Amino acid sequence: MKKMKLAAIFAGLVSVFTFSSCLNDGDGGPNYDLYEIVTVEEGSIFGGAVLKGDAWGYTYTPVSSSVLAGLKTSDGSYYKRAQVGIKLMEGEVITEGKKSYKVSEVGVMTVLNYKDFNLQPDTLKNDYALVSLEDANNKIWAINGYVNVPFTFKTKEQLSMNDFHLYAVGAKEDTLVTRLRQTKGSDDAYQTGSALISFHMPFNRGEFFEILNNVQPKNDTIVVKVTAKGENDKELVSTVKCSFTNMQGY
């Protein structure tokens, strides 16, 4: 079948906080049918763990649990977000209108950085200026419960994703307003780095849902607005529209 390329908004994604042990190191690997950024959903209505794709909204169901072995952590749980190559089960063909496919092989290319929204922003002590939100190749997107934020920062030391926090600020009509903060750094930092973090919306937490409940969807669409402190007192802002029911896992 004709191979499908990942949607353009995912091209060239760069993360400085990678999990090198999760990169394929084979001699080319299987001839994959698709390349996707996916969310691993455990205990789904399909019975076991499945993959929910970002690019086309497909659900990928493995023919056996061993298909997802490369996505398992050392404690037996699954990484939640990854970029993967997918081999469809023999006989499966991408068809217009069809949203669920069985897969026989999944190869892990990169495990993405992921973490929950911060629920205690009052405890964050610092707020260093970011260089930018997004860039020419990477745009913010939101799907399957995650707000995916590419950004550029400055530093004089090694940072981790635990030095960056996204939290809900408030709601205005159909918009959820959020804030991204860098809490470790230096005002005279000169080295520039780029990162991508997938922030999960904690719908089961009352302090988050209290804010989200004030958002008023328009035809099931909400806007997620990400703000951040920029250089020279500039306010960085980026917005993305997404399906409200999809973000809640329905």
Side-chain angles (χ1 to χ4, degrees):
M1 62 173 288
K2 183 178 180 180
K3 289 186 179 180
M4 301 178 68
K5 298 296 184 181
L6 197 62
I9 61 172
F10 304 128
L13 289 178
V14 176
S15 175
V16 295
F17 315 134
T18 58
F19 300 80
S20 58
S21 62
C22 298
L23 300 178
N24 271 353
D25 57 2
D27 57 357
N31 187 21
Y32 295 122
D33 297 308
L34 308 97
Y35 294 89
E36 269 266 40
I37 290 177
V38 298
T39 297
V40 181
E41 182 178 297
E42 299 182 61
S44 71
I45 60 174
F46 297 92
V50 299
L51 306 181
K52 294 292 190 70
D54 283 16
W56 303 284
Y58 297 158
T59 296
Y60 305 100
T61 304
V63 295
S64 69
S65 59
S66 62
V67 172
L68 302 184
L71 284 166
K72 281 198 171 183
T73 68
S74 58
D75 65 7
S77 61
Y78 288 99
Y79 291 112
K80 300 300 184 184
R81 296 278 292 163
Q83 187 173 20
V84 300
I86 294 172
K87 182 72 173 178
L88 298 177
M89 185 183 73
E90 186 175 355
E92 285 276 38
V93 178
I94 299 297
T95 305
E96 184 176 357
K98 184 177 180 180
K99 290 295 185 180
S100 182
Y101 297 91
K102 292 182 178 180
V103 299
S104 58
E105 295 182 58
V106 172
V108 181
M109 301 171 66
T110 307
V111 172
L112 302 187
N113 305 305
Y114 58 89
K115 61 187 297 186
D116 278 339
F117 270 54
N118 187 293
L119 297 175
Q120 297 179 308
D122 292 342
T123 66
L124 301 178
K125 297 181 179 180
N126 300 311
D127 189 7
Y128 293 98
L130 297 178
V131 177
S132 66
L133 290 174
E134 308 184 327
D135 58 37
N137 295 317
N138 305 318
K139 303 298 182 183
I140 289 175
W141 77 98
I143 193 169
N144 297 325
Y146 287 87
V147 179
N148 306 276
V149 186
F151 57 93
T152 303
F153 60 93
K154 285 187 175 180
T155 183
K156 294 173 66 175
E157 57 191 319
Q158 182 66 38
L159 301 181
S160 77
M161 66 177 173
N162 293 324
D163 301 316
F164 300 90
H165 307 268
L166 186 70
Y167 55 91
V169 174
K172 184 177 181 181
E173 298 180 348
D174 63 340
T175 301
L176 175 67
V177 182
T178 68
R179 187 79 174 174
L180 177 64
R181 282 177 66 171
Q182 177 183 341
T183 56
K184 182 179 179 181
S186 175
D187 290 330
D188 61 349
Y190 56 89
Q191 294 179 325
T192 300
S194 297
L196 165 70
I197 301 178
S198 295
F199 293 95
H200 181 252
M201 288 186 173
F203 294 102
N204 61 336
R205 297 295 297 271
E207 52 267 68
F208 175 77
F209 192 77
E210 184 177 350
I211 296 175
L212 185 69
N213 198 42
N214 291 318
V215 177
Q216 303 169 23
K218 295 180 179 178
N219 298 320
D220 189 45
T221 298
I222 66 170
V223 177
V224 178
K225 180 179 181 180
V226 179
T227 65
K229 178 181 179 180
E231 297 180 294
N232 301 317
D233 297 321
K234 180 181 179 181
E235 181 77 352
L236 303 178
V237 179
S238 184
T239 61
V240 62
K241 292 182 178 180
C242 57
S243 164
F244 191 50
T245 54
N246 169 270
M247 291 298 286
Q248 297 180 87
Y250 300 135

